[in-house]
Amino acid sequence: MDVITIFQTLFHWGIIALAGTMILLLTLGGVYLIYRKLFHGKKRITIEKVICAGLLICWLFLVFCLTSMSRGANFTDSINVDFLSGYISAWNNWSISELQLILFNIIMFTPLGFLLPLLWKKAEKMWVTVVVSLCLTGGIEVFQLLTGTGIFELDDLFHNLLGSMFGYFCIMAGLDVAREKKLRLAPFGKVFLIPSLIALILGVVFWTYYNQPYGNMDILPAADQDLSAIKIVQEWESSCQKVSAAVYQNKFSGDKSRFEKIRGAIAELEPLTFSRAIRRENENIGCLGENAEGAECRMIFFSRTGEWSYTTFVETAARLTEETIDSLRVRYEEWMNEQELLPENLEFSVQNGDTLRWDVLPISSLFEGEKAFQQGSVMIRLDKSGLLADFFYQVTWNEYVCTEPIISEKEAYEQVRRGKFEQYVPFQPGDTLHITECKLEYRYDTKGFYQPVYEFSGYINSSENLWVCQIPALQQ
């Protein structure tokens, strides 16, 4: 989720929260008037209290909308009590989106710690604000668990409490100045405590990442799998021999100028009109535009692999004749050659009668190779008006870096037995995991290096329930 999407979501649900707050305040205002006029109540409410109450109610509505109403019930019985697993996941994926989510969860509860002491005198005691914050965020997590609208996560409790404490320290520092008529160091020191710790931790993390030789592997789990009630059956012979394998790097990994160049070139080819706004979609970047007929189009650049795609979201493509196939092939091959996008060893074909396809011929001895290579495919479809409908450029350009020692199959298998792999659907007690094969493959890390990994495959309980996992092969 990029920053623009975050603000769009906040604006959308903020309007709803504001409307709900106005209705509730008007209702409570009517009740208060009845209390004062009909029952001759003596208790008065100051305008400051009304404003604080209104802001707090609006915040409560907004938090409820964001955490429960903004998504469907897709997380039934989902619980994550692995503390700091969100940080480990963000590190393994080197994900800006996950980091944004962590910071957003902290900031989201700042208004509670700020407004509560203004509305309730007892909340000036820190333990009261801590208890209220934990009860409220715990209630939200339980509600998400029961309704399936979210995951009960221990990390969320921690993040929300941090945000609430930051807001509390801010308002207490302000109240201290207002009451003491002077600036004291201790209260303001507490204000900068949490941001300073976060900045320090982020600084260490970024320094560590950019000074390590390779990137992180997104196949590593945020928490190990619990295999205590799982039976593992090994149906292949593992080798103890330690060997070495080549490491490559994607030539265009992280090259945003390449995206700008291709976007401009394809806009001239068709022609297309793209908006200037560049939006981040997870770790990739993209933009929207229109083709010659005003249809919406989207282009995405996959920053870690240098691949990209263009689409107008057309479901049915135009059927191709032999004459149009030849002319289109010449046109797009000339364009790709001009943009230095076309590898040498290609095989051309027509797929399903409507898709032009170029496949890079496979190479052998990738593990022992010491030269650059390309792999992947290019697919192009046209719509019924003859305009470009889809352009999927899935060719990666890799350059040899070095040859590194790797762990043995047996060492990799031991990591599987210890549960150090990613598993989307959790195992159930009594499951039997049959591992039938292990082979050496390659996978991109977060810096665009093409690293060797061991890929284990097999099935869970029956051959219809296939299972695959990967273990990084480079020696640490």
Side-chain angles (χ1 to χ4, degrees):
M1 183 181 293
D2 63 356
V3 176
I4 296 176
T5 305
I6 290 174
F7 278 104
Q8 287 177 341
T9 304
L10 285 174
F11 179 78
H12 171 75
W13 291 107
I15 295 295
I16 296 175
L18 185 60
T21 301
M22 294 300 296
I23 293 172
L24 184 57
L25 285 179
L26 289 173
T27 303
L28 293 176
V31 172
Y32 179 71
L33 286 176
I34 294 173
Y35 163 77
R36 292 278 294 171
K37 298 296 184 182
L38 296 183
F39 296 96
H40 306 288
K42 302 297 183 182
K43 191 171 183 178
R44 293 181 177 273
I45 301 177
T46 63
I47 187 64
E48 292 83 1
K49 295 287 187 182
V50 173
I51 293 173
C52 288
L55 291 173
L56 194 57
I57 292 170
C58 187
W59 171 82
L60 283 168
F61 270 118
L62 180 59
V63 169
F64 177 75
C65 291
L66 291 174
T67 57
S68 302
M69 296 179 62
S70 62
R71 49 196 172 189
N74 303 315
F75 305 92
T76 306
D77 297 330
S78 298
I79 302 176
N80 179 13
V81 293
D82 294 302
F83 187 51
L84 302 183
S85 61
Y87 295 83
I88 299 173
S89 177
W91 168 258
N92 290 341
N93 292 278
W94 196 244
S95 172
I96 299 299
S97 298
E98 291 187 40
L99 177 60
Q100 286 177 344
L101 183 60
I102 290 171
L103 295 176
F104 179 73
N105 277 336
I106 293 173
I107 296 170
M108 183 171 64
F109 260 65
T110 299
L112 176 63
F114 189 91
L115 294 171
L116 197 59
L118 294 176
L119 188 62
W120 187 25
K121 184 71 174 177
K122 288 185 178 180
E124 292 186 14
K125 296 179 179 180
M126 189 171 69
W127 72 268
V128 175
T129 301
V130 169
V131 170
V132 172
S133 300
L134 287 175
C135 289
L136 184 57
T137 188
I140 292 173
E141 295 300 312
V142 170
F143 180 83
Q144 289 179 329
L145 176 64
L146 295 177
T147 59
T149 54
I151 302 173
F152 184 101
E153 293 190 274
L154 198 58
D155 282 1
D156 283 349
L157 295 174
F158 175 63
H159 297 148
N160 296 160
L161 181 60
L162 274 183
S164 182
M165 286 299 93
F166 175 64
Y168 172 81
F169 290 145
C170 288
I171 192 58
M172 294 310 295
L175 291 175
D176 183 76
V177 171
R179 291 167 181 173
E180 299 295 330
K181 306 300 182 185
K182 62 179 180 180
L183 187 65
R184 295 197 303 161
L185 181 61
F188 280 90
K190 294 177 181 178
V191 170
F192 292 104
L193 177 62
I194 293 176
S196 298
L197 285 174
I198 292 174
L200 177 62
I201 292 171
L202 287 178
V204 172
V205 167
F206 275 83
W207 183 89
T208 302
Y209 179 79
Y210 287 110
N211 282 276
Q212 63 185 17
Y214 301 116
N216 301 334
M217 298 296 285
D218 59 2
I219 56 176
L220 291 173
D224 295 349
Q225 306 301 319
D226 182 8
L227 303 180
S228 59
I230 308 302
K231 181 181 179 182
I232 300 178
V233 179
Q234 181 182 349
E235 298 180 1
W236 105 103
E237 291 295 329
S238 59
S239 171
C240 297
Q241 181 181 4
K242 293 185 178 181
V243 293
S244 59
V247 177
Y248 303 87
Q249 185 174 25
N250 191 285
K251 182 179 178 180
F252 300 108
S253 177
D255 187 357
K256 294 182 180 179
S257 63
R258 174 176 166 84
F259 172 67
E260 295 286 355
K261 177 184 176 183
I262 295 173
R263 184 177 68 156
I266 200 170
E268 293 179 0
L269 176 69
E270 287 312 310
L272 306 167
T273 303
F274 287 107
S275 63
R276 292 185 178 180
I278 304 296
R279 301 185 61 173
R280 178 178 292 275
E281 300 188 15
N282 294 324
E283 307 314 309
N284 310 313
I285 54 177
C287 62
L288 298 175
E290 293 182 350
N291 66 7
E293 293 187 344
E296 183 184 41
C297 62
R298 182 183 66 182
M299 191 169 183
I300 297 178
F301 179 70
F302 301 92
S303 58
R304 289 176 180 168
T305 62
E307 300 167 287
W308 53 271
S309 68
Y310 164 89
T311 183
T312 56
F313 310 100
V314 171
E315 294 184 2
T316 305
R319 305 295 294 179
L320 302 175
T321 64
E322 292 186 5
E323 293 181 359
T324 57
I325 289 172
D326 292 336
S327 62
L328 289 171
R329 178 183 179 183
V330 170
R331 180 182 186 229
Y332 286 110
E333 284 187 354
E334 287 181 351
W335 181 82
M336 286 190 283
N337 270 320
E338 290 175 2
Q339 307 306 319
E340 300 180 340
L341 295 172
L342 200 65
E344 294 180 359
N345 300 321
L346 285 174
E347 182 178 63
F348 175 79
S349 63
V350 178
Q351 182 176 305
N352 301 326
D354 61 6
T355 303
L356 303 175
R357 179 169 181 141
W358 294 262
D359 289 283
V360 182
L361 296 178
I363 63 172
S364 58
S365 66
L366 183 62
F367 311 105
E368 301 174 358
E370 295 187 1
K371 61 180 181 179
F373 72 94
Q374 301 85 42
Q375 62 181 5
S377 61
V378 180
M379 291 181 286
I380 295 175
R381 297 196 315 160
L382 304 181
D383 62 22
K384 293 184 178 180
S385 300
L387 299 176
L388 183 64
D390 300 302
F391 198 137
F392 299 113
Y393 186 84
Q394 298 168 326
V395 176
T396 57
W397 298 68
N398 306 285
E399 298 178 329
Y400 173 77
V401 176
C402 64
T403 298
E404 295 274 16
I406 62 175
I407 62 177
S408 66
E409 284 186 0
K410 187 174 183 180
E411 290 173 315
Y413 177 61
E414 282 303 311
Q415 293 194 36
V416 174
R417 291 184 59 86
R418 289 157 54 193
K420 294 187 177 298
F421 58 89
E422 190 68 69
Q423 178 81 5
Y424 182 72
V425 179
F427 289 103
Q428 300 299 319
D431 281 346
T432 300
L433 172 60
H434 299 260
I435 303 179
T436 59
E437 185 181 14
C438 173
K439 58 184 178 180
L440 202 56
E441 295 287 352
Y442 272 82
R443 188 180 184 94
Y444 282 108
D445 67 18
T446 57
K447 288 186 177 180
F449 288 97
Y450 207 39
Q451 290 194 27
V453 296
Y454 283 106
E455 182 174 282
F456 294 87
S457 57
Y459 58 91
I460 302 173
N461 299 329
S462 66
S463 58
E464 289 80 18
N465 191 10
L466 299 179
W467 172 88
V468 175
C469 88
Q470 291 182 333
I471 301 294
L474 290 184
Q475 287 189 9
Q476 301 299 318

